[in-house]
Amino acid sequence: MSAGKEGDSLCFFVNGKKVTEDHADPETMLLSFLREKLRLTGTKYGCGGGGCGACTVMVSRYQPANKTIIHYSANACLLPLCQLHGAAVTTVEGIGSTKTRIHPVQERIAKAHGSQCGFCTPGMVMSMYTLLRNKPQPNMEDVTQALAGNLCRCTGYRPIVDGCRTFCQETNCCRASGAGNCCLNREERTDGPEDEKPKLFDKEGFLPLDPTQELIFPPELILMAETAGPRTLTFQGERMTWVSPASLQELVQMKSSNPKAPLVLGNTNIGPDIKFKGVLHPLIISPTRIAELFEVTHTLNGVWVGAGFSLSEVRSLLEKLVPQFPEEKTELFKALIQQLRNLGSEQIRNVASLGGNVMSAYPNSDLNPVLAAANCKVSVISNGGRREVPLNQDFFVSFGKTVLKPEEILLSVFIPFSRKGEIVRAFRQAPRKESSFATVTAGMRVVFSEGSRVVQDASIYYGGMGPTTVGAPKTCAAIITRPWDDETLSQAYDVLLDELALPPSAPGGQVEFRRSLTLSFLFKFNLEVLQKLREMQSLCLQNVITNELPEKMQIQPLPKEIQHSLQEFQHVSKDQSSQDPVGRPIMHRSAISQATGEAVYCDDIPKTDRELFLVLVTSSRANAKITGLDVSEALQLPGVVDVITAGDIPGKTVRTFSGYDEELLADSQVSCVGQMVCAVVADSRVHARRAASAVKIGYEDLPDSLFTVEEATEKSSYFEPRRTIERGNVAEAFKSVDQVYEGEIRLGGQEHFYMETQSMLVVPVGEEAEFNVYISTQWPTSVQDAVAETLGIPSNRVTCHVKRIGGAFGGKVTKTTILACITSVAAWKTNRAVRCVLERGEDMLITGGRHPVLGKYKVGFMNDGKIVAADIQYYLNSGNTVDDSVVVAEKILLHMDNVYNIPNLRGYAAACRTHLPSNTAFRGFGVPQCLMVVENMVNDVAMALGRPADQVRELNMYKGPSVTHYKLEFSPENMLRCWEECKLKSDYGARCRAVDLFNQQSRWKKRGISIIPIKYGIAFSESFLNQGAALVHIYRDGSVLVSHGGTEMGQGLHTKMQQVASRELHIPHSKIHISETSTNTVPNASMSAASFGTDANGMAVKNACETLYQRLEPLRQKNPGGTWESWVKAAYFEKISLSATGFYRGPDLYMDWDKMKGQPYAYFTFGACCSEVELDCLTGDYRTVRTDIVVDIGKSVNPSADIGQIEGAFMQGLGLYTLEELKFSPSGLLYTRGPSQYKIPAICDMPLRFNVHLLSDSNNPHAIYSSKGIGEPVLFLGSSVFFAIKDAVAAARSESGLVGPFPLRSPATAEKAFLACASPFTHKIPTSKPGSFKPWALNI
């Protein structure tokens, strides 16, 4: 293409307004165009790779062929702007706003409490909105499918599902299934309004959905589509040209002249390559308007499907065809539909094309093994004409390569009918059930001659077992012409094992698991074939199959229907004033604006004049000297202004934590991959990123890189002090016990995965060295202090503003402060505003997460289960800097008793220094790791004795007035109440019996159940942090502005503060506003952490409001019949101050480690949780069937916020213990740097019944209004799912005669659960000796 040619004009509509872009750059995605050019910031950046759904929009197109308008959801981050010619885009701002009217979807998600931090909410809204545009009365399966590609880290999904459920016609309620005792009856069987259980929201008042009120498709685009003659469109960018040819002939010509130019339809393959791998394509060809790519041709033997169809269109086409043909003809159609349901997310399937999916030739493709197994073929065209190519073993040549010539274009795929006696099945196993690349996939086909069980033909293909889709011809040869029986299959397993070898260091790891899955899938296929043969036999009445398949062997899919859940909390007292909101389920104060996209997050702040963007350059070595830093090439690139190095810092160059210094920018040495070395500032994000990749760093590797805690321990590499605590005499006690057991458990780390990545904007005021810092942090005061010290100026020149945070979970404290310091140096040096927003991959690489922990224990116990002595050692993988590690280690030791009164208890905790990115605070702060080790120990005791775990737990619990191992007195009464109530509410006894019965009747699926308690200490053990401050202004019109030291990150802190002010001032909460948290209104505030935000700030707001209310007392007495406004006005005229500060001096807590005693916590939050799972022993996949949580949170200030915190924490814990896995390369590089590699829980992971009960009649004299802190404790209760999986695995192991304790690492992913089941298939896999090969990933 000639570079000089002027590009065409791009024309499309956004929210009903025409957009004409004369210089559309092919590298610009819709997301950045919406946010930066159109200033529509409701659509959020969450990952940039189509993996989180935060940027979901609706795209509408007119199809002139059948004169219809189609609507589909898509990820704006992967949607090239040039692709949108003639389309209409609807964003969250286009469907409703607080200025006009809000849309029912926005209202219901908000009022059902489905928006906490709110960053994911616009994407959720748009996914649901698109569904309703296509199907105004959806069912629950439609809803869960539509939301499967949208991640949320705050809510636990239940309230989002409940809000969306109100659009459904209920069918899967237990009433419909005929169950007598309906889940709804518990709420309905009431004697009168007094007894009626309070609800979190009332759906009666919701706006009705009125499809006639939606935006119409722009008539201009219909006209344009109907009348525009075919012409080629060309868009010219800075480095790339985009051409959309108008005819097939032109496409063929163009491809033959430019064989290397990729064809882009959905951009779900090329897009991520360009973004994440830096691939540059000078020319991109977009064949979206080639009619021949969108044709369906029916033949006698099957159907030709155009390669341009999206995967969603292919699925709906196949679903329409299935009922039109006899069942025997649609075996392949059904297998493909099954794969298409789980491949990617709705947003991905709506744009990804069939041709693109085949041609990308991914090793773990979902469709290719099925297409190959079923003898499909493709039609291709080039200058040399058309030809048909079979889709078989020879089609896939190498990684990402097919047998087609570079100039050939895939036109269509032939999907044949199956024939009589033919059985086709598809299988897949993925790290998460939905929206996840598969680990292993398979397509299998077998043909029987009529009335016989002798195999005529067979084909088996696998994905994920090598660099390409691979066939198993030798295995098929072992099956063909033989009868389908155990003997044939037994031989086939052995052949398959030899045929599909995978080296132990194969890319992707999980070698034993992947090899076992190939056998598992073949066995599953066997079970399905036997089932099918029996059906055929009953039809033709011939004895095809003699050996009956016992019912125990049959396999059904795991359950997936989401049931109604219960949320139980107490009514406020009858005497409480109706305008007093405390104790009521008040909606999050920003929920509506979060649902409309109007809520402003840090990166939504408009650009200031001459603003620069900062991108960090990080180390690619784990342990090396820096021998050179060459920035010359970077400085030559367009838009680059400067490169910031350690030498540019005018003030302090380090931050000090626990007595250790951490460099802001590495100067002479790096100690982990991802350590920040320098930063590039340029006039745009794109230019800064390009320049950052041009910076060259020279290294000299240093010896002894340490990655694991074992390596660190061997070299005595620790952050001091290491801590020890002991009660009783452990050594002596071990001599007097009946049994001693030694064990260990390893817990992996966890990425915070807050939806909003680290974001900040530093603006120089322009005089007297003043700076405004707009930042997403949990601790504005720390940022203020650090920036001042870094720039060498007093703190009074730095003002830190936090409007809201899109999730934090402990991850926006220490590293955020360091990032702010670097950004402020750039702003100081250039004297221009500088913005820094990390990409998801950078964020995950740089910021660290939860500490991986190795826990070792020795436990002595009596034969009745009474634990007499325990010695527990904790080794934390701290990473390369100390950060919070020493404090985390201390908190671990303070919680190691959990709820158990173990008379002789010793603990040791060491923070190990390694060459991984430094780990930091994370919700729970060490307690989730600590208690996991303790509960695993108790579980092992129960297994060693062959007793039920709940009985051993109960026997060892604190009872009556008790004293912890650090000599703090407390009452365990409410803890025991939570435990008993949880057993009662979950019907624990009956369900244990039901689980046993299920397991007796099922060989390959097992159920497990577990009940877990918790005791969690609230407040900071560092006493000075236990303080809160507030500033309250009353304005002359009676409106109130509250400022306090806490930050709003989704936990509802601002909403609760509004409730406190409302109660204390005796005014409706609608009169009270909270604008932001800033250091110029409330100085020296503590961080919002440790579940102490409401306790500290609530008391401070209460204190300020009490002062103001007292000041107004004389005026109320003078005019008792007056209004609030009249008293305020009178006070102003009488010169009474209408502004007050409030302060709370929290408890004086301490811990004396030498004396091993103290009072590190103000009080305890108690809870208990029962979870039941169903496990597929052939894949390791599981479903949480039901979860019941009972928590003692005193008297809740806001039940909707507190229940939201409980559900969200539980789901984050479920992720930690069963799903989320960080993987590092042998050189210390984090592999899992985004949602496509790192799986947080999605809607498919939510318990199918998710019941939460707040303990009634509980008081807590130590906190505001008798409430309790709740942000962190429940996270650990996610481990109930881990122990339920372990229970199910134990049932599976017993089938192989294995009993007693066994190791299961956390997270209990499908891989670990499957291998622990020790099925006959895992025994067949030869294990490679550690040390004989270099593993793909480290065992952290």
Side-chain angles (χ1 to χ4, degrees), residues 506-519:
Q510 301 184 299
V511 171
E512 199 183 339
F513 181 43
R514 285 153 70 189
R515 294 194 69 190
S516 302
L517 280 175
T518 59
L519 300 177

Side-chain angles (χ1 to χ4, degrees), residues 745 747-748 750 850-851 853 874 888 891-892 895 922-936 1014-1016 1209 1212-1214 1216-1217 1272-1279 1283 1306:
I745 183 171
L747 288 95
Q750 186 179 24
R850 188 185 295 283
H851 293 76
V853 166
Y874 294 94
V888 169
K891 189 156 185 170
I892 281 178
H895 279 81
F922 195 145
R923 193 180 202 166
F925 208 74
V927 178
Q929 298 100 302
C930 158
L931 298 188
M932 185 61 169
V933 178
V934 175
E935 291 297 342
N936 200 61
I1014 187 171
K1015 164 176 74 62
Y1016 191 101
Q1212 212 166 33
L1214 179 144
L1216 167 66
Y1217 298 120
E1272 296 171 291
V1274 176
L1275 188 137
F1276 169 65
L1277 295 181
S1279 69
F1283 288 109
S1306 170

Side-chain angles (χ1 to χ4, degrees), residues 549-555 1001-1003:
L549 179 64
E551 203 167 308
K552 185 172 175 170
M553 300 294 278
Q554 290 179 18
I555 46 169
Q1001 293 172 351
S1002 169
R1003 172 64 180 96

Side-chain angles (χ1 to χ4, degrees), residues 932-943:
M932 185 61 169
V933 178
V934 175
E935 291 297 342
N936 200 61
M937 178 184 81
V938 176
N939 222 59
D940 281 351
V941 169
M943 291 188 86

Side-chain angles (χ1 to χ4, degrees), residues 525-542:
F525 185 52
N526 170 32
L527 296 180
E528 299 235 9
V529 168
L530 293 175
Q531 183 68 26
K532 192 79 180 167
L533 284 174
R534 180 164 323 95
E535 287 168 22
M536 289 180 187
Q537 175 186 335
S538 61
L539 287 173
C540 66
L541 300 172
Q542 285 180 10

Side-chain angles (χ1 to χ4, degrees), residues 8 77 93 163 254 382 494 552 554 1052 1061 1090 1097 1267:
D8 285 299
C77 68
E93 293 93 342
M254 198 174 285
S382 66
D494 295 335
K552 185 172 175 170
Q554 290 179 18
N1097 298 294
S1267 65

